[in-house]
Amino acid sequence: MAVGGSQRDRSPGYPIVPLDEALERLAVFEVVQAGGFLGLIFIAAVCMKSFGNACHNRNRLHQGLLVMVHAIGPLILLQAGNGIPGMSVWITWVPGVIMVMVSLYYGVPRILRPDPPSAMGLFVATSAVVFLLSLF
């Protein structure tokens, strides 16, 4: 959307939005996006705890939160690239999800300490949950 400007800067279909209204929309969008990421982290950590308990590995929620906070970090960092005009969302999302999966691959065995077969199942299940949740 065009912010401010004169009549000659106006292109059809893009109304001129006052700067105060544009900043208000931006603030609301960023708060909702931050809340969404916090929800994603919490839901994925609860799922990770449930998957770990199903594998006879007693984990606490704070261990799952620790893994998820560190794993989701690259995805949140790469989302800053969406501010570049003309940048497709997929260009930042795909490398972000790959980095999340790599972080989970190394983080799950080190933090949760499951036995090796359970670690692989826990990694795959948690990666699938994060992948699906990050689509929304």
Side-chain angles (χ1 to χ4, degrees), residues 6 15 18 29 34 37 42-43 45 49 53 62-63 68-69 71 78 95 109 126 132:
S6 64
F29 174 76
F37 274 120
F42 184 74
I43 291 170
K49 181 183 179 300
N53 290 342
H62 73 84
Q63 291 173 314
M68 290 314 303
V69 165
L78 286 176
T126 306
L132 292 173

Side-chain angles (χ1 to χ4, degrees), residues 2-96:
V3 178
S6 64
Q7 185 65 24
R8 64 182 168 82
D9 293 338
R10 188 176 193 165
S11 59
Y14 292 103
I16 295 177
V17 178
L19 185 59
D20 292 340
E21 186 179 333
L23 290 176
E24 183 179 329
R25 286 183 186 178
L26 179 67
V28 168
F29 174 76
E30 290 299 326
V31 167
V32 169
Q33 186 176 18
F37 274 120
L38 288 175
L40 182 137
I41 289 170
F42 184 74
I43 291 170
V46 168
C47 289
M48 182 183 289
K49 181 183 179 300
S50 298
F51 296 150
N53 290 342
C55 297
H56 306 293
N57 187 20
R58 300 292 174 221
N59 295 315
R60 297 188 179 139
L61 184 60
H62 73 84
Q63 291 173 314
L65 284 170
L66 181 67
V67 172
M68 290 314 303
V69 165
H70 284 89
I72 299 289
L75 181 63
I76 294 172
L77 181 65
L78 286 176
Q79 291 297 316
N82 291 339
I84 299 171
M87 176 75 70
S88 175
V89 175
W90 296 103
I91 293 175
T92 58
W93 181 80
V94 171

Side-chain angles (χ1 to χ4, degrees), residues 92-114:
T92 58
W93 181 80
V94 171
V97 169
I98 291 171
M99 289 175 153
V100 166
M101 290 182 184
V102 169
S103 298
L104 284 174
Y105 183 77
Y106 289 110
V108 166
R110 292 182 186 208
I111 304 293
L112 301 179
R113 304 232 183 252

